[in-house]
């Protein structure tokens, strides 16, 4: 247990070190913790191999059914909100891949409410390792790969079908969009988990932004009320996950009077989201009062 | 009977304590209702009258679905995790020694849960949806009553399905795989993603015959007054047949399982 030899105060609530050096140390330590806890849960899942295979398959299929709905819709119509099937597949694939990545890494966070309720959250605080990493890796479920794989497959399909004039900038924008999108979703998940310190039962509110956002971003922005579109640009910045950069890649104008340069703003928005989420998490952790059970 | 009434009341009260969770659930259902409504509007704009639904019918369908998610257990019955956990840990042995029937006990508890979810999470989304969108409302007041009967039957079918799923844990110990598969079936074939009458060709025909059709498609069609007179009775009979069949299967599985339970002591 290498963590036991860390200087006192390195773990515990909140990051210990201030400044960049401390931040890097905390990040490295978080990653180590995360890997260790995740590996433990993977080993435990593998005890029931057939059950794991079934859950992996069903995780893939659940997400696939989402896409079947779109296929069924396009069986009835030629375009949805003025977007072709290939374009919708591209939107679906980018949103699905980003969300799949975030869900794979952070998908355990909503469980935290239950742990705060029953008091088992306290054990995380006692261990000399970053709390967020422990909670995020708690019951790490490898089956969530199914969702990610499905998103990537649809993305590839969409890219094959799309007939675009690619520029280096557009090519670069795709991976940047996927990673920034994953970070924005992850930040929302951490933000939601922070709220659980005060409201342990409110985990579902987060899923309306994460799962709900994912569903919304699979469809073209043209079909939604423009106020709603403005809401996911300026209030909850989900539009930066894929809509704004994707519309640029597809050669379409930005929606709802949003300026065109926002197509490149996703990494910046992701950084701001992560900073806000980190602040919320530390505030929540400081405010945490154990139930004592 | 008194015992099971008390169990049902307990189920109601138990879920009524989670008020924040109920509010969070209503919020989530409303958000999803909005997203789905806009996708349906886009679809019905492009294909008016799709599946025999007018735009208002399709929108009503969306919000009925959001209201019934927890009531009819479209994405999980809400009790099977606990039951599977009791089977896995062996606590089920204690339940089996109680002077009550296992299936009836859980049926009663689930009925209480459904009643609470209907009041807590069922009505609000439909009401909020009707405020914002132009939903079809029943033209006759007794349609609401007919709808309530269909919802009740739907929740019984849902219980029967999830009970059968939970029973599989006696053999598999870890029931998660089967739960996921059942969840998958419920998600797709209940018509929560897209009304079953929009499903093409034989896929639609099969989907409308499966038990999951009783949980959303049939109640929604009763609400939309697509059944009259004998047709309405036929719809109820469809639900009741699935309920009886699946409850009997659950009972058979329970009998087979309890014969093999070995109490490990401790």
């Amino acid at each position: 247990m290498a963590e036991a030899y860390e200087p006192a105060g390195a773990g515990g609530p909140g990051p210990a070190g201030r400044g960049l050096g401390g931040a890097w140390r905390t990040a490295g330590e978080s990653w180590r913790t995360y890997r260790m806890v995740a590996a433990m849960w993977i080993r435990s899942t593998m005890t029931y191999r057939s059950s794991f295979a079934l859950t992996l398959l069903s995780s893939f299929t659940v997400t696939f059914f989402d896409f079947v709905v779109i296929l069924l819709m396009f069986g009835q119509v030629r375009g949805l909100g003025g977007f072709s099937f290939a374009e919708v597949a591209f939107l679906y694939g980018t949103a699905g891949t980003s969300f799949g990545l975030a869900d794979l890494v952070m998908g355990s966070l909503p469980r935290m409410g239950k742990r705060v309720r029953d008091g088992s959250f306290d054990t995380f605080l006692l261990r000399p390792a970053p709390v967020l990493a422990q909670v995020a890796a708690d019951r790490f479920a490898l089956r969530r790969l199914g969702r990610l794989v499905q998103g990537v497959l649809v993305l590839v399909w969409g890219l094959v079908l799309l007939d675009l004039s690619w520029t280096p900038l557009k090519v670069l924008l795709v991976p940047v969009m996927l990673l920034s999108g994953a970070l924005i979703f992850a930040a929302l998940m951490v933000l939601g988990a922070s709220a659980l310190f005060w409201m342990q039962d409110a985990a579902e509110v987060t899923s309306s932004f994460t799962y709900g956002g994912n569903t919304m971003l699979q469809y073209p922005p043209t079909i939604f009320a423009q106020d709603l579109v403005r809401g996911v640009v300026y209030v909850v910045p989900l539009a930066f996950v894929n809509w704004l950069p994707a519309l640029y890649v597809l050669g379409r104008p930005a929606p709802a009077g949003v300026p065109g340069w926002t197509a490149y703003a996703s990494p910046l928005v992701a950084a701001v989201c992560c900073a806000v989420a980190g602040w919320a998490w530390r505030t929540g952790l400081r405010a945490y009062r154990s139930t004592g059970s | 009977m008194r015992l099971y009434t008390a169990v049902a009341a307990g189920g109601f009260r138990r879920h009524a304590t989670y008020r924040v969770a109920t509010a969070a659930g209503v919020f989530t259902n409303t958000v999803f209702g909005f997203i789905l409504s806009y996708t349906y509007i886009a679809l019905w704009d492009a294909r008016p009258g799709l599946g025999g639904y007018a735009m208002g019918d399709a929108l009503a369908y969306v919000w009925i679905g959001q209201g019934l998610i927890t009531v009819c257990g479209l994405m999980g019955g809400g009790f099977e995790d606990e039951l599977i956990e009791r089977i896995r840990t062996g606590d089920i042995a204690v339940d089996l020694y109680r002077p009550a029937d296992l299936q009836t006990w859980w049926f009663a508890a689930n009925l209480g849960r459904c009643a609470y979810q209907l009041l807590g999470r069922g009505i609000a989304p439909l009401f909020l949806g009707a405020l914002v969108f132009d939903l079809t409302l029943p033209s006759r007041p007794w349609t609401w009553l007919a709808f309530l009967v269909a919802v009740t039957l739907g929740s019984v079918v849902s219980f029967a399905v999830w009970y059968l799923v939970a029973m599989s844990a006696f053999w598999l110990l870890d029931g998660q795989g089967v739960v996921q598969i059942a969840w998958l079936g419920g998600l797709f074939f209940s018509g929560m993603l897209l009304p079953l009458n929009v499903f093409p060709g034989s896929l639609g025909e099969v989907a409308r015959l499966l038990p999951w059709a009783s949980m959303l498609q049939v109640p929604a069609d009763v609400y939309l007054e697509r059944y009259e007179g004998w047709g309405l009775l036929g719809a109820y009979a469809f639900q009741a047949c699935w309920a009886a069949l699946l409850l009997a299967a659950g009972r058979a599985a329970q009998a087979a399982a309890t014969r093999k339970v070995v109490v490990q002591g401790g």
Side-chain angles (χ1 to χ4, degrees), chain A residues 60-80 83-90 92-93 150 153-155 157-158 161 218-220, chain B residues 39-40 43 47 50 188 193-195 198-201 203:
Chain A
F60 179 88
T61 320
V62 165
T63 4
F64 179 67
F65 277 170
D66 261 4
F67 191 61
V68 169
V69 169
I70 292 178
L71 287 174
L72 287 179
M73 284 181 166
F74 274 92
Q76 309 281 359
V77 296
R78 299 208 55 78
L80 214 53
F83 280 60
S84 70
F85 173 72
E87 288 173 311
V88 173
F90 180 67
Y92 181 100
Q150 195 266 348
L153 286 179
V154 176
L155 176 59
W157 192 12
L161 288 180
Q218 293 166 356
Y219 291 92
Chain B
T39 62
Y40 280 31
L43 187 60
R47 276 289 307 274
L50 181 62
F188 193 61
L193 300 170
L194 207 60
V198 174
F199 281 25
L203 177 66

Side-chain angles (χ1 to χ4, degrees), chain A residues 48 51 54-55 58 61-62 65 68-69 72-73 76-77 201-202 204-205 208-209 211-212 215-216 219 223-225 228, chain B residues 18 21 24-25 27-28 31-32 35 38-39 42-43 46-47 50 121 174 177 180 183-184 187-188 193-194 198-200:
Chain A
Y48 301 106
S51 199
L54 276 176
T55 52
S58 71
T61 320
V62 165
F65 277 170
V68 169
V69 169
L72 287 179
M73 284 181 166
Q76 309 281 359
V77 296
D201 289 334
E204 263 201 87
V205 173
S208 62
F209 290 107
Y211 285 86
T215 308
M216 187 173 172
Y219 291 92
I223 71 171
F224 295 98
L228 198 61
Chain B
Y18 300 119
F27 180 79
T28 310
V31 169
F32 271 93
I35 296 169
Y38 284 114
T39 62
L43 187 60
R47 276 289 307 274
L50 181 62
R121 286 184 66 165
D174 180 66
Q180 292 265 326
W183 185 60
L184 213 67
L187 186 72
F188 193 61
L193 300 170
L194 207 60
V198 174
F199 281 25

Side-chain angles (χ1 to χ4, degrees), chain B residues 58-249:
Chain B
L59 288 170
Y61 185 93
V62 168
W63 292 93
I64 290 169
Q66 292 303 313
L68 293 187
I69 281 179
T70 45
V71 181
C72 290
L74 303 180
M75 295 179 68
F79 70 92
E80 69 282 352
D81 279 347
E82 194 187 345
L83 180 52
I84 287 171
E85 191 61 15
R86 290 190 78 79
I87 294 172
R88 202 177 62 78
T89 56
D91 288 344
I92 197 78
V94 182
D95 301 346
L96 288 170
Y97 275 116
R98 288 206 185 109
D101 174 67
L102 193 68
Q103 193 187 31
T104 318
W105 175 286
W106 284 91
F107 180 82
N110 187 57
L111 214 57
R113 185 194 65 85
C114 289
Y116 173 72
Q117 299 290 17
L118 186 65
L119 293 174
R121 286 184 66 165
I123 294 169
L126 190 58
F127 179 74
L128 289 169
L131 280 183
V132 179
F133 297 95
D134 196 11
L135 309 186
T136 303
L137 292 171
S139 62
R140 292 181 292 262
W142 55 82
T143 300
W144 288 102
L145 198 65
F147 175 57
L148 194 64
V149 173
V151 170
T152 309
L153 284 168
S155 68
V156 174
V157 175
S158 156
F159 168 80
V161 168
W162 287 107
Y163 191 78
L164 198 56
V165 168
M167 284 299 112
S168 75
F170 273 113
W171 287 273
L172 298 171
L173 292 178
D174 180 66
Q176 281 315 304
V178 182
V179 168
Q180 292 265 326
I181 298 291
W183 185 60
L184 213 67
L187 186 72
F188 193 61
F189 290 114
S190 67
M192 199 181 84
L193 300 170
L194 207 60
L196 297 180
N197 48 11
V198 174
F199 281 25
S202 44
L203 177 66
E205 278 162 39
V206 172
R208 288 189 287 273
L209 287 177
L210 294 176
W212 291 291
S214 337
M215 301 179 197
L216 170 58
Q217 187 67 52
V218 172
D221 281 339
V222 169
Y223 170 99
L224 293 170
E225 297 171 339
R226 282 161 67 99
Y227 296 113
E228 302 281 338
W230 287 106
L232 183 62
L233 284 182
Y236 288 160
F238 170 78
Q239 292 178 299
C241 279
W242 271 121
L245 206 67
L246 292 165
L247 284 173

